[in-house]
Amino acid sequence: RTESALEETMSTGGAEDDIPQAERKTVTDFCYLLDKSKQLFNGLRDLPQYGQKQWQSYFGRTFDVYTKLWKFQQQHRQVLDNRYGLKRWQIGEIASKIGQLYYHYYLRTSETSYLNEAFSFYSAIRQRSYYSQVNKEDRPELVVKKLRYYARFIVVCLLLNKMDVVKDLVKELSDEIEDYTHRFNTEDQVEWNLVLQEVAAFIEADPVMVLNDDNTIVITSNRLSETGAPLLEQGMIVGQLALADALIIGNCNNQVKFSELTIDMFRMLQALEREPMNLASQMNKPGMQESTEKPARRENPHKYLLYKPTFSQLYTFLAASFKELPANSVLLIYLSATGVFPSGRSDSEGPYDFGGVLTNSNRDIINGDAIHKRNQSYKEMHCLHPGDLYPFTRKPLFIIVDSSNSVAYKNFTNLFGQPLVCLLSPTAYPKALQDQSQRGSLFTLFLNNPLMAFLFVSGLSSMRRGLWEKCQDYLRKINRDIAQLLTHSRSIDQSFLQFFGDEFLRLLLTRFIFCSATMRMHKIFRETRNYPESYPQLPRDETVENPHLQKHILELASILDVRNVFLENTLDDY
């Protein structure tokens, strides 16, 4: 293949004999590297998606070849222009592949710094206009490469919260799609327009805008910063477990999504990551930095992002995570999914009698649906039941369920005596708030950005930056106090304290209590199903209904001038 490509490209440059030997070799070497890079890149999709070790050496080899290819085309650009006819879009393709490699490295390692690397390569393509000549060629497949590059760049910018860049990219992509469909009259016009609609809805999913003095929008990040989690104070006795792995599962019907991320998944993955750091050296192979450059801090927990998985996929990834979980580590399972309720009546109250949450039903895999409908005594098949998670409670397990049937998971049993906590969303929201569900769940918003969620339930849709920052400071104080309430509680289940040593889990637990306390004090949240629950249950008077915490919440409401939304003397109401 390389030889014929070589002859073909060289034949345009005059008689072959005229080409100096060194230049012939340059083109041959380039063709070899290009070929090799494509083979390795295409092989990436055959690697198993789960399991953390098998893929690393293959990724390393692919990076090596792309590093060589990138440097090679930079050093020999003149010869490749003259003798090979190297086009700018081909250089763009190489840069785009490197960007994709970094993005996939991020997906596999959860190391946010690789997103910055992907961003720098994608940015270079745009700044240097590598794809600008594509529109002059009469080849629709080249234009599609350009459109896909835009879609991938947008995903990386969303994950880095670079919303201003996203808006520019969406505008450019919109123009490109219009030009493409106008010139080629293609059938995929509807699909590309859907991409635009999805990203537009994704950008607008946040219910509250924070504004600068000049009315530009402040971009807030919700990753864990140095000051994020409440610090453990002297004398707090907590477990030493660390969050090592997380499954983030999104299977909500009609929730805003982009690429394979629902807005709930997007919010939760950021709650399990630290703020990204810039990697010191460009094009360093991931994991190959000198030890002096290694950031001296704990890594992010590893994550699997599963969009609408079938039961088999979910169970396979769960088993892989469970198998590779290191000692003294925690596995987190986050389920944002439509509730599945039991169809028949059951006399027993076992772990398969309350339904659970939806898994994707690929009709071609299971043909039991017809039988199922005829017999009410069978259990729901396309459903993750609480009992399905029992085998995995042999190791420390932290479960978050955001669903209209989250309470199914209240009927858990801790069979093996390992630390086990389930945080469960309300199963219904007051009518006034329900129309928001498409833009993401309120419960998950509280776990990701508690101040925004608090503003939203208080009826506020925008806020000045100064006030936002003042409230964030106050919220940090509330979090510190919640941490003290938990660790000083006499009757709290030990599982909560065993998880409390991990920064991410500590933050999730304190936000959960803040969420629960806020909803219990809110005037329109009056039904039990409007409140989050947990397994094991928290002692209410010491946590979610603690008078000291309630006073803080009213204080926060006063700063925002929304005290009238909350009940003043909630204790008398119970």
Side-chain angles (χ1 to χ4, degrees), residues 48-56 107-109 242-247 299 301-304 315-332 392 395-396:
Q49 289 173 299
Y50 49 85
Q52 291 179 47
K53 297 291 172 274
Q54 305 92 316
W55 55 272
Q56 275 174 324
L107 286 181
R108 290 203 179 243
T109 61
L243 177 61
D245 220 329
L247 265 80
E299 294 173 349
H302 170 265
K303 299 185 294 297
Y304 288 121
Y315 230 57
T316 306
F317 280 85
L318 195 47
S321 281
F322 180 81
K323 175 174 176 279
E324 296 195 339
L325 199 69
N328 301 318
S329 296
V330 181
L331 172 59
L332 181 146
F392 303 102
K395 292 182 181 179

Side-chain angles (χ1 to χ4, degrees), residues 163-360:
M163 292 305 174
D164 41 352
V165 186
V166 171
K167 284 171 186 166
D168 292 344
L169 291 174
V170 168
K171 194 176 173 315
E172 288 170 31
L173 177 59
S174 177
D175 295 344
E176 293 288 349
I177 290 170
E178 200 171 317
D179 179 66
Y180 166 65
T181 49
H182 182 69
R183 282 173 56 213
F184 296 109
N185 193 17
T186 58
E187 291 174 6
D188 54 359
Q189 180 177 357
V190 177
E191 289 165 44
W192 282 110
N193 283 328
L194 186 63
V195 168
L196 284 176
Q197 285 164 21
E198 283 185 350
V199 73
F202 209 90
I203 299 169
E204 287 163 16
D206 280 356
V208 180
M209 285 188 298
V210 185
L211 300 170
N212 285 310
D213 293 337
D214 60 357
N215 281 347
T216 51
I217 295 175
V218 178
I219 307 302
T220 56
S221 171
N222 300 303
R223 289 189 168 90
L224 183 64
S225 60
E226 298 306 314
T227 55
L231 294 170
L232 292 173
E233 294 177 18
Q234 228 51 84
M236 283 189 177
I237 297 168
V238 296
Q240 299 301 306
L241 296 170
L243 177 61
D245 220 329
L247 265 80
I248 295 180
I249 295 147
N251 197 1
C252 277
N253 295 334
N254 69 31
Q255 193 180 84
V256 167
K257 68 168 257 298
F258 185 61
S259 185
E260 295 226 312
L261 280 179
T262 63
I263 193 78
D264 277 357
M265 292 170 73
F266 177 72
R267 285 175 177 155
M268 186 46 66
L269 78 86
Q270 299 205 26
L272 300 179
E273 289 180 349
R274 295 168 199 282
E275 278 299 336
M277 289 167 65
N278 277 308
L279 286 184
S281 52
Q282 187 70 355
M283 267 312 283
N284 240 358
K285 200 168 75 185
M288 299 300 280
Q289 288 124 296
E290 293 304 307
S291 53
T292 51
E293 288 176 23
K294 275 273 164 89
R297 56 183 190 136
R298 263 189 46 206
E299 294 173 349
N300 289 328
H302 170 265
K303 299 185 294 297
Y304 288 121
L305 306 174
L306 301 179
Y307 173 67
K308 298 208 165 176
T310 60
F311 177 80
S312 336
Q313 287 167 327
L314 200 159
Y315 230 57
T316 306
F317 280 85
L318 195 47
S321 281
F322 180 81
K323 175 174 176 279
E324 296 195 339
L325 199 69
N328 301 318
S329 296
V330 181
L331 172 59
L332 181 146
I333 301 170
Y334 167 77
L335 297 160
S336 154
T338 305
V340 176
F341 298 90
S343 48
R345 295 204 58 77
S346 174
D347 300 333
S348 59
E349 290 202 344
Y352 286 90
D353 293 319
F354 297 96
V357 300
L358 189 68
T359 54
N360 202 349

Side-chain angles (χ1 to χ4, degrees), residues 333-335 356-357 386 389 398-412 420-429 441-444 446-447 496 508-509 512-513 515-516 519-520 528-538 544:
I333 301 170
Y334 167 77
L335 297 160
V357 300
L389 297 179
F398 193 98
I399 301 166
I400 301 171
V401 187
D402 195 337
S403 172
S404 53
N405 191 22
S406 58
V407 289
Y409 292 79
K410 217 169 69 171
N411 306 289
F412 235 79
L420 171 67
V421 160
C422 305
L423 304 183
L424 311 170
S425 71
T427 52
Y429 292 102
S441 155
L442 178 60
F443 178 67
T444 292
F446 261 104
L447 297 181
F496 291 101
L508 288 171
L509 284 166
F512 173 79
I513 289 170
C515 167
S516 195
M519 288 175 176
R520 285 167 183 278
T528 322
R529 62 194 192 132
N530 296 159
Y531 307 138
E533 304 216 31
S534 66
Y535 169 89
Q537 280 193 330
L538 284 161
V544 297

